[in-house]
Amino acid sequence: NIVTFIRDNADDFSTGGVNFDGTGDYLSLSPSSDLAFGTGDYTVECWIKPTVLPTAGYLHIIFQTGGNDNNTFFFHISVNQISVGNQSAYISNQSVSPAFQNANWYHIAACRSGTTLKLFVNGTQAGSNATDNTEWLSEGTDIKIGTNDSGSQIFNGVISNFRVLKGTALYTSDFEVPIYELTNITNTKLLCCQDTSSTTVGAVKPGTITANGDPTASSVSVYPLLASTLTWPDSITWNGGSAPT
């Protein structure tokens, strides 16, 4: 018999994204009180599609260094790990399974609610820290998307729909990832990397976004690889005796 699979979710959605080639490309913004989280709730999220994952070290999604290490904010990935935090409160080198793969889309999010910081990959909690009360992004130098403070560990791939909420922990437990273009919801302070022709356009931004190097904007089709399982009825008999993977 012919078996047809019918899914209740859209397979993908079209939006814009910024392609970073790993050789000096990043976006930067001047420090802003709109992005100074203080000790309040926040959400940092985006879609990423790595082109080349590092065999050692990290690819930085966002980095901002403050007046001291406790004000530094980093959000980065390696082959099978994801980290977010600063010197005194962080979720560091959290293993993800399955490991990140080149050319696949992933939704990643960091959310702090009260003093609890949680980290999510494709809607599934990857780690948490219940003692986070630091004043992240409260002062310092430029905020950089796609690199660290020294211009190394540069992201190689596509970042799409980068959104920052100040005052809202949007995700506090496992959730269904948003399979649509992100919008300007309450407390959105930055929403960028979703224009199809410009790297510096932002639906919401606290100042000018500057493109460094030669990142490019284009239309992208976000196709999430979400975990799913099929449970076959007992009445199904497979030719050969076992179900396909």
Side-chain angles (χ1 to χ4, degrees), residues 14-20 27 47 105 157-162 181 192-199 215-222:
S14 295
T15 183
V18 177
N19 194 304
F20 302 85
L27 304 179
W47 283 95
W105 283 103
V158 182
I159 297 178
S160 179
N161 283 251
F162 190 94
E181 191 169 78
C192 64
C193 299
Q194 59 179 189
D195 191 82
T196 60
S197 60
S198 173
T199 60
T216 58
S218 65
S219 177
V220 297
S221 182
V222 177

Side-chain angles (χ1 to χ4, degrees), residues 92-106:
S92 182
N93 303 334
Q94 184 67 41
S95 296
V96 295
S97 180
F100 290 112
Q101 296 181 19
N102 293 327
N104 287 339
W105 283 103
Y106 300 93

Side-chain angles (χ1 to χ4, degrees), residues 21-88:
D21 63 15
T23 58
D25 295 352
Y26 65 95
L27 304 179
S28 59
L29 298 91
S30 297
S32 169
S33 59
D34 283 346
L35 299 177
F37 299 148
T39 58
D41 295 354
Y42 67 82
T43 300
V44 178
E45 65 177 318
C46 64
W47 283 95
I48 62 170
K49 182 183 180 183
T51 300
V52 179
L53 286 160
T55 56
Y58 302 94
L59 299 180
H60 273 77
I61 310 303
I62 183 173
F63 192 98
Q64 191 259 4
T65 180
N68 58 65
D69 287 341
N70 291 337
N71 295 131
T72 296
F73 180 90
F74 64 80
F75 197 2
H76 58 208
I77 66 168
S78 64
V79 173
N80 62 348
Q81 296 174 331
I82 185 167
S83 305
V84 64
N86 64 13
Q87 185 68 21
S88 63

Side-chain angles (χ1 to χ4, degrees), residues 132-214:
D132 174 21
N133 58 2
T134 55
E135 296 188 18
W136 285 1
L137 295 186
S138 61
E139 58 179 324
T141 58
D142 287 354
I143 297 166
K144 298 177 180 178
I145 300 174
T147 188
N148 65 8
D149 61 332
S150 63
S152 61
Q153 298 182 334
I154 299 171
F155 186 76
N156 190 328
V158 182
I159 297 178
S160 179
N161 283 251
F162 190 94
R163 183 167 67 180
V164 177
L165 309 180
K166 177 184 176 181
T168 299
L170 192 58
Y171 313 114
T172 56
S173 60
D174 290 359
F175 59 94
E176 291 187 11
V177 298
I179 309 180
Y180 50 81
E181 191 169 78
L182 299 183
T183 58
N184 178 11
I185 62 176
T186 301
N187 288 335
T188 298
K189 302 302 181 182
L190 176 62
L191 178 56
C192 64
C193 299
Q194 59 179 189
D195 191 82
T196 60
S197 60
S198 173
T199 60
T200 59
V201 168
V204 181
K205 55 183 182 178
T208 300
I209 299 174
T210 300
N212 303 269
D214 57 357

